[in-house]
Amino acid sequence: MARRETALQTAHGRLRELIGREFRSGDKLPNERELADRLEVSRATVREVLGQLAAEGMVTRTWGIGTFVHDGAERVPVSIGDVTALRDRITASGHRPTLQDAAVSRAKCPADCAKLFGLQPESEVWRVDRLFAVDGVAAAWIRDHLPLRFDGRDLDPSGLVSIDLDMFEFLATATGMPVRRAEIDLAAVLADEEATARLGVAAGHPLITGTQIGYGAGGAPLFHGHITVRTDVLTLRISRGEMAPQSVR
């Protein structure tokens, strides 16, 4: 395993060097077979390295068309090291956040969400679906689930259809308990049909997706959500320090 990881790292570095030396933004790369011959590695290794470079935002891959050097458009860095609204992180980077679409509805709770909240499978919960844009470009699609009631209080998240109210502000007011900790598991994926429709990207476009859970005092779960991010628009940054990494919302 260690030998394979070393080989991948070597191929990764050599391909990055090749792209930087011979190609410019917007150029189409040779196919996997040609790259494998030039790097003297297998096509499977090239495919895996290209997937890594796509997740890093260096290239974009479109199924049936090819792999292209990223066009160099500015990406907005947002930290996932603090429990801070995504809206505020985008603003702090000097860009304009907006909601291109937002909806609040009652829906059946997914199985993992029901387990978190201690509900029966398919119990009714609030679903908050929001599409964030950066300078008018769709950048992050967030779908959260919240219980209908918390500690005897009815929750009404209808205000979250406005950019002026973020999830953390809403929960602090509605439950009397601010989010103290958020955990997020991230994965690199390629855009499926639903993500294509929501984010306006081609099928197979590289994306980052995450499952996020927010907790209040004493570890009480407050929300369960999924976030899908266009890495060609937003750059996710983790800052390590004495505190455990938390998340952005």
Side-chain angles (χ1 to χ4, degrees):
M1 178 63 72
R3 182 177 300 174
R4 179 174 179 276
E5 290 299 321
T6 299
L8 280 173
Q9 291 171 4
T10 299
H12 183 279
R14 291 176 63 191
L15 185 51
R16 287 184 67 96
E17 181 181 352
L18 174 66
I19 292 172
R21 184 176 65 246
E22 299 187 15
F23 298 91
R24 295 182 297 178
S25 296
D27 284 350
K28 183 178 180 178
L29 296 183
N31 61 37
E32 292 176 358
R33 184 184 299 279
E34 292 178 59
L35 288 174
D37 290 342
R38 293 195 62 175
L39 298 176
E40 298 181 334
V41 297
S42 68
R43 289 182 64 186
T45 296
V46 168
R47 188 176 301 116
E48 188 165 353
V49 171
L50 286 174
Q52 294 173 350
L53 294 180
E56 295 169 9
M58 186 173 187
V59 301
T60 56
R61 311 195 73 192
T62 303
W63 181 259
I65 298 178
T67 302
F68 296 82
V69 180
H70 190 265
D71 62 12
E74 181 183 7
R75 290 182 293 167
V76 180
V78 293
S79 170
I80 56 173
D82 303 292
V83 181
T84 307
L86 179 59
R87 173 200 67 195
D88 296 339
R89 285 293 175 182
I90 294 171
T91 300
S93 295
H95 296 266
R96 180 175 61 90
T98 55
L99 279 178
Q100 282 194 344
D101 189 26
V104 174
S105 61
R106 292 187 180 222
K108 291 182 178 179
C109 192
D112 52 352
C113 172
K115 183 177 180 180
L116 176 72
F117 293 142
L119 301 174
Q120 292 297 317
E122 298 193 344
S123 295
E124 197 172 60
V125 293
W126 287 114
R127 183 170 70 189
V128 181
D129 202 323
R130 296 170 293 165
L131 180 62
F132 285 84
V134 176
D135 299 333
V137 179
W141 169 33
I142 302 178
R143 175 173 290 173
D144 290 312
H145 292 93
L146 313 170
L148 299 180
R149 295 173 58 83
F150 181 84
D151 197 24
R153 304 186 186 198
D154 290 329
L155 301 185
D156 177 11
S158 58
L160 288 168
V161 298
S162 168
I163 192 70
D164 295 326
L165 181 64
D166 71 72
M167 180 63 73
F168 294 140
E169 292 169 345
F170 165 72
L171 288 171
T173 301
T175 69
M177 182 184 296
V179 176
R180 299 293 188 189
R181 176 171 58 92
E183 296 178 352
I184 186 168
D185 294 320
L186 297 173
V189 299
L190 299 179
D192 58 15
E193 185 175 347
E194 189 173 24
T196 294
R198 296 296 283 160
L199 291 168
V201 296
H205 187 89
L207 303 169
I208 294 293
T209 185
T211 299
Q212 183 170 246
I213 302 173
Y215 298 93
L222 297 176
F223 71 84
H224 179 282
H226 296 280
I227 178 171
T228 304
V229 175
R230 284 182 56 173
T231 56
D232 57 332
V233 180
L234 293 176
T235 300
L236 303 181
R237 175 183 298 152
I238 299 176
S239 298
R240 296 186 179 274
E242 296 181 359
M243 298 295 292
Q246 296 178 323
S247 190
V248 145
R249 205 70 189 154

